[in-house]
Amino acid sequence: MSITTTVLFQRPQQEIATLIRDRLSRSVATRIVTGFATPGGLAEIGAPIRANPGSLETFVIGASTYPGFQALDNLLAAGVPVDRLHVHLGFSAPSGTPKNPVVRYHPMLHSKVYYMELPASSACAFIGSHNVTAFALGGSNGEASVLIEGDMHAPEFAAIRSHVDEAQRQATPYSPTMKEGFSWWFKEYVEGLKAEIRIPTDWVTVRTILAFSHIQGGRSPRVGETIYFEIPAGIEEIESLKTEVHLFLYGTMPADPMSAINAVRSASRRYTCQTIGVENGQGNREVSVDWVIDGSWALTPVPSATFRPSTPAGMQQVRAKVVDTSLPSYEYAFERERTGWDPVFSEIDVIDALEPPLLEEVARREARGGRQIDAWRLVSAIEPRSGAHLETDQKALNRAIPESGAFILVSLRRRRSDSKREG
């Protein structure tokens, strides 16, 4: 008997529980390895197992919640021998810290294997990404799997059985008295994962002018020299002796502002400057400066130290003094810190939440006082939460963000991002 392989499925959101239950109902020996399981997922495939509990030879689970382990107890009550159930606790290591003595976020079991031996020496296996959860098996998650069918003695099935055997060897036997401990271990893993998200909290809310320029040979600016450039009129809080200007010089000008920001560490020269004068409108008709950033973003010297600007409408004049020929590494943000983000829902990609197997999940939400969910909609994007704070000079600031195409920008927040701090 040859081996056949079926790809499941062209669409990521596809119900697979029916196929698995069909094979389980005919299976004489079943082995399952899953990274995660929920009560809803166990309910989806539980009926054929409860009808023939002796057919379940191996069930290895990587993690679950307390209710999930209670669902395993239901399999035991149905007659599944306790020595068939196993919990894989992953790998860990001492952390060296007294608060959390072991590494909580660590390598875990993520295999998803549903192997079944059928009559007439045949076998099948579902190999892919489907955990034993209602969302995965019911077609709500985006998943992918392949179904392998054929002679159980084929080398492909031998390799699958070896994988299951090794996962079982690494696992610890399940015991109903340990479900609180197993649940705690998973909670520790989740807490460790949350710590790995590391959304920065060390942002400093301060306006910084970023100037990206290039210089054609010759000498470079020195400490004490002044630089002239222009930014959109109406930008507030750009005050003398308060606002820093971070100047980045490139041998070859980057293609766009975002490329310039991403390449700040590779800039040929970086300077810390400070504003010493800001003039709205036409401003000064003559300024005493040593350098000018012109309309092509080139930094050019002013031999006479006297420059007569021709300021376009809607721009304001800025003079800054070089205070240091070095600059720490920063990450820059061009909007205020957000308290949250709202999803943008698709009107096309919709999953009916009232179709089995999601009824159980909906019922649980309603029991907790949650709103009834009629459908799941694809989140096509996220956007700043409605009502988020905007700057009073936001229109002017919009002309000094990377999307504007300008190479002189105004950031609202910054944080140190040198290698020592990042480590």
Side-chain angles (χ1 to χ4, degrees):
M1 182 187 300
S2 62
I3 293 294
T4 62
T5 302
T6 304
V7 176
L8 308 171
F9 287 91
Q10 182 177 3
R11 176 181 168 87
Q13 294 78 24
Q14 181 69 44
E15 185 266 338
I16 195 177
T18 301
L19 288 174
I20 294 178
R21 283 198 303 269
D22 173 71
R23 302 311 192 275
L24 283 173
S25 66
R26 295 185 277 129
S27 175
V28 296
T30 299
R31 303 184 188 186
I32 296 175
V33 179
T34 181
F36 187 68
T38 64
L42 288 164
E44 278 300 312
I45 63 174
I49 295 174
R50 288 192 297 272
N52 186 12
S55 65
L56 183 61
E57 293 187 349
T58 305
F59 189 94
V60 182
I61 182 174
S64 187
T65 61
Y66 193 89
F69 288 117
Q70 287 180 310
L72 290 186
D73 293 346
N74 294 337
L75 295 181
L76 296 178
V80 174
V82 70
D83 61 357
R84 311 288 177 87
L85 306 182
H86 309 270
V87 180
H88 194 293
L89 300 174
F91 291 74
S92 189
S95 67
T97 60
K99 182 179 180 181
N100 299 298
V102 297
V103 178
R104 296 185 295 172
Y105 177 52
H106 51 261
M108 296 286 283
L109 175 73
H110 278 253
S111 302
K112 292 89 175 175
V113 178
Y114 302 79
Y115 170 79
M116 285 152 276
E117 294 178 359
L118 307 172
S121 297
S122 63
C124 70
F126 295 84
I127 311 291
S129 66
H130 294 77
N131 278 315
V132 181
T133 70
F135 283 168
L137 301 177
S140 294
N141 283 353
E143 307 279 359
S145 284
V146 294
L147 170 59
I148 305 172
E149 298 176 287
D151 188 339
M152 64 176 290
H153 301 294
E156 292 86 350
F157 288 124
I160 291 171
R161 289 190 292 268
S162 294
H163 180 91
V164 173
D165 289 343
E166 179 60 16
Q168 177 180 339
R169 186 194 68 79
Q170 295 178 4
T172 189
Y174 173 71
S175 168
T177 62
M178 281 298 297
K179 56 178 174 283
E180 183 174 348
F182 294 145
S183 304
W184 175 88
W185 183 245
F186 178 56
K187 179 186 73 69
E188 290 292 291
Y189 175 86
V190 173
E191 292 295 328
L193 176 60
K194 287 169 60 178
E196 291 298 314
I197 296 173
R198 297 187 183 182
I199 297 177
T201 59
D202 57 347
W203 288 102
V204 177
T205 301
V206 59
R207 295 194 173 195
T208 309
I209 298 176
L210 311 181
F212 304 101
S213 185
H214 61 99
I215 190 168
Q216 300 294 336
R219 72 177 186 87
S220 300
R222 303 186 182 103
V223 171
E225 293 187 326
T226 55
I227 300 170
Y228 172 92
F229 55 88
E230 295 164 351
I231 62 174
I235 294 179
E236 302 172 0
E237 299 180 28
I238 305 299
E239 302 173 1
S240 298
L241 306 180
K242 289 187 178 181
T243 302
E244 284 189 0
V245 178
H246 294 175
L247 172 63
F248 303 90
L249 294 184
Y250 299 89
T252 301
M253 197 65 179
D256 53 71
M258 190 55 70
S259 298
I261 293 172
N262 292 335
V264 291
R265 294 193 181 189
S266 61
S268 58
R269 300 295 297 271
R270 304 191 296 181
Y271 298 88
T272 304
C273 310
Q274 205 153 36
T275 56
I276 58 173
V278 179
E279 296 290 342
N280 281 309
Q282 296 302 308
N284 297 307
R285 297 185 180 275
E286 186 175 282
V287 293
S288 177
V289 294
D290 302 292
W291 299 85
V292 171
I293 299 178
D294 62 22
S296 64
W297 315 111
L299 180 66
T300 58
V302 181
S304 65
T306 299
F307 178 68
R308 294 178 175 85
S310 178
T311 307
M315 301 295 287
Q316 60 183 329
Q317 304 171 351
V318 180
R319 288 177 295 126
K321 178 181 290 188
V322 177
V323 297
D324 200 330
T325 56
S326 65
L327 175 67
S329 294
Y330 286 100
E331 181 180 355
Y332 302 97
F334 296 89
E335 58 183 21
R336 290 284 187 181
E337 184 176 4
R338 302 294 184 182
T339 57
W341 300 80
D342 290 324
V344 177
F345 292 113
S346 169
E347 295 298 327
I348 300 173
D349 293 282
V350 180
I351 300 172
D352 190 347
L354 296 182
E355 291 285 335
L358 300 179
L359 285 171
E360 182 178 345
E361 173 62 22
V362 173
R364 285 200 299 272
R365 285 182 58 86
E366 291 177 341
R368 296 194 298 265
R371 175 180 174 273
Q372 177 176 322
I373 299 173
D374 297 322
W376 302 102
R377 297 184 180 276
L378 177 69
V379 178
S380 56
I382 57 174
E383 60 185 10
R385 178 152 294 163
S386 302
H389 174 73
L390 294 177
E391 302 297 301
T392 56
D393 55 348
Q394 190 64 53
K395 288 185 178 180
L397 286 170
N398 288 342
R399 299 173 59 198
I401 59 176
E403 292 80 1
S404 70
F407 282 89
I408 297 181
L409 311 175
V410 177
S411 78
L412 301 183
R413 293 181 292 143
R414 71 187 189 213
R415 61 181 292 266
R416 290 286 295 271
S417 60
D418 53 67
S419 57
K420 183 176 181 180
R421 288 174 60 87
E422 290 299 293

